[in-house]
Amino acid sequence: MMYSYMLVGLGGGIGAMGRYVLQQAVQGRFPLPWPVGTGAVNVLGCLLAGLLLGTMERHGLGSGWRLLLITGFCGGFTTFSAFALENLALLRAGQVLLAALYAGGSVVLGVLAAAGSYWLARG
């Protein structure tokens, strides 16, 4: 159990540092009026998570690798990758409506939660 936490923590720490570096580099290079750095991190994280999951399934890699690279690294890099893989799992299971509800609901409720808590904290 402790080993699992260590794998997730190690991967997550490296992923979070990678997110910060990439986000800053992209945002500095492309100073657009929207958070292009975060967008780039989210898309790259989803691409990487899909590649890792497919490779792990094809080669039968153990759960330790998944904890280190997907839960840890990709989760620290961007939790959007976990969101994307969960939606992919629903789609692969033929749950198209549930995937759409999960995706749309997560975005709408997430923005509402952030806005509501922001306004509450501001007083």
Side-chain angles (χ1 to χ4, degrees):
M1 182 66 118
M2 184 57 78
Y3 181 69
S4 297
Y5 289 119
M6 289 171 47
L7 289 173
V8 172
L10 176 64
I14 294 169
M17 289 185 285
R19 175 185 65 232
Y20 178 75
V21 169
L22 182 62
Q23 188 274 333
Q24 294 294 307
V26 171
Q27 196 67 44
R29 179 134 166 80
F30 303 100
L32 298 174
W34 63 282
V36 66
T38 301
V41 165
N42 285 342
V43 172
L44 181 60
C46 292
L47 176 75
L48 185 58
L51 285 170
L52 287 169
L53 181 62
T55 300
M56 288 176 187
E57 287 181 357
R58 183 170 33 129
H59 294 290
L61 296 177
S63 62
W65 287 106
R66 185 177 178 126
L67 288 172
L68 176 68
L69 297 175
I70 294 179
T71 304
F73 181 81
C74 289
F77 191 68
T78 172
T79 56
F80 195 75
S81 61
F83 172 72
L85 287 181
E86 289 166 347
N87 275 289
L88 177 60
L90 290 170
L91 292 172
R92 288 175 65 189
Q95 299 291 328
V96 177
L97 180 59
L98 191 55
L101 288 171
Y102 176 55
S106 294
V107 171
V108 170
L109 292 174
V111 171
L112 287 174
S117 62
Y118 170 80
W119 292 111
L120 280 173
R122 293 267 308 177

